[in-house]
Amino acid sequence: MSQLIVVGVDGSPDSRLAAEWAATEAELRGLPLRVVHVSTLPDEQLLTTWPYFREPSPDALVTSLAKDRPGLRAEVSAITGEVVPALLSLAAEADCTVLGLRGSGGFAGLALGSVAHGVAERSAWPVVLVPGGVVHSRRARSPYGVTLGVDDGEPPGTVVEFAFDTARRRGTGLHVVHAWRLPSPAERWMPYALPEKDRGRWEDQEKQRFSDALRPWREKHPHVGVYEDLRLQSPAAALVQASASAELLVIGRAGRTLGPALHAVLEHTACPVAVIPHNT
C-alpha cells in the first residue's frame, strides 16, 4: 500500500469538508494528499457545455488547503470515467480514502450519497466519510477522541488495530463502545421487571468477555488510554450517541454491504466515520 491519503471532491460543501479533514489527517500523519476529481464527461463534451456547465477545480482547492498548511504535500488528479469504480481503483493505493457523506448529486434530506455509499460498501480498504457541519480541530473534544464500535462477536483485528493506531497518532484516548443485549433467558421476564441480580450477573459476564477481547491490543498499545463502555442499547443508538463527543468513529464492515446498523449510524453521525472492511 502506498503512503498517501486520497480525497474525492465534486464541488459540494460536504466534499470541501472532506478535503479539509483529509488535509488535516495527511498533515498529522506526514503523508502526501491526493485530491481527486472524477468527471463523467470527456474533455470534448465539457468544451461544448461551457459556460453552462462548469466542473470544480481541484487545483484551486489544493491552493486553499495549502494556505493554512504550509507543510502539506498535495497533488491533483483529474480522471474521466465512472466515479465509484475510479475511486475504488485509487483506494487500493492509499492508507484511506476520504469522501463527503453527501455529494453534489444528492438532495436535501439525503444523508448518504450514492458515491459515498458505493465506495464505502465495496472498498477493500479504509474509507472515511465526513458529514456536513463538521468542525475540524486537532484538539480532541474529549480525552477519548477516537471511538470504536464493536459488536457481540470477537472484534476483527484489522478494525481494532486501525482504531488503536489512529488514537496513537492523534495523541488521544480510545473510547470503545460495546452495545449488548440481554440473553434470551431474560425474555421470560418480559413485560415484567428483570431481577437486578440477574441483570448484574449478565452484565458482569459481558463486561469480562469484552475486556478479555481487547486485552491483546491494550498490551500492544500501552500508551493509548482506553475507556471501555458497555451499553444496553442497540448498536446504532449507542454509536450515534457516542459520535457527539468523538473526533472519529471507527466501525467494521462485514461483507459487501453496509448493513442496517452501519447505515443508520451514517444517517445520523455527528462526526466522521471510518468504515473498515474486516478483510483488510
Side-chain angles (χ1 to χ4, degrees), residues 14-220:
D14 274 22
S15 79
R16 173 60 192 241
L17 287 172
E20 293 276 357
W21 191 93
T24 300
E25 186 70 9
E27 193 176 34
L28 183 66
R29 295 191 183 202
L31 297 178
L33 175 68
R34 180 178 296 172
V35 179
V36 179
H37 172 65
V38 184
S39 174
T40 56
L41 300 176
D43 291 342
E44 56 272 17
Q45 191 171 348
L46 282 176
L47 291 174
T48 63
T49 58
W50 182 263
Y52 308 105
F53 179 85
R54 185 172 183 175
E55 298 229 336
S57 169
D59 296 279
L61 179 56
V62 167
T63 300
S64 176
L65 294 173
K67 187 179 299 182
D68 297 325
R69 302 173 180 85
L72 181 67
R73 294 173 291 152
E75 61 182 33
V76 170
S77 182
I79 303 172
T80 300
E82 295 297 321
V83 180
V84 172
L87 291 172
L88 287 172
S89 67
L90 292 172
E93 305 174 10
D95 278 36
C96 70
T97 300
V98 184
L99 298 168
L101 260 179
R102 183 163 68 91
S104 60
F107 52 86
L110 179 67
L112 183 58
S114 59
V115 171
H117 183 281
V119 175
E121 189 171 63
R122 294 163 54 189
S123 177
W125 306 101
V127 176
V128 177
L129 303 179
V130 181
V134 171
V135 177
H136 301 279
S137 173
R138 290 191 177 191
R139 182 179 180 181
R141 287 177 281 172
S142 83
Y144 302 94
V146 177
T147 295
L148 167 66
V150 299
D151 57 22
D152 290 332
E154 187 73 17
T158 50
V159 182
V160 181
E161 180 62 31
F162 182 94
F164 267 91
D165 185 63
T166 301
R168 178 186 63 81
R169 291 175 185 273
R170 289 173 171 264
T172 186
L174 180 62
H175 178 194
V176 187
V177 176
H178 175 41
W180 70 294
R181 57 185 300 175
L182 293 169
S184 54
E187 295 177 358
R188 67 187 175 90
W189 290 96
M190 304 305 176
Y192 308 104
L194 181 69
E196 190 63 33
K197 65 177 182 179
D198 290 328
R199 172 183 165 149
R201 175 168 52 86
W202 281 320
E203 186 169 3
D204 288 343
Q205 291 173 351
E206 191 69 21
K207 187 178 297 183
Q208 186 62 55
R209 188 169 69 89
F210 179 35
S211 184
D212 289 344
L214 289 176
R215 185 172 295 112
W217 285 277
R218 297 189 72 156
E219 293 174 351
K220 183 178 179 180

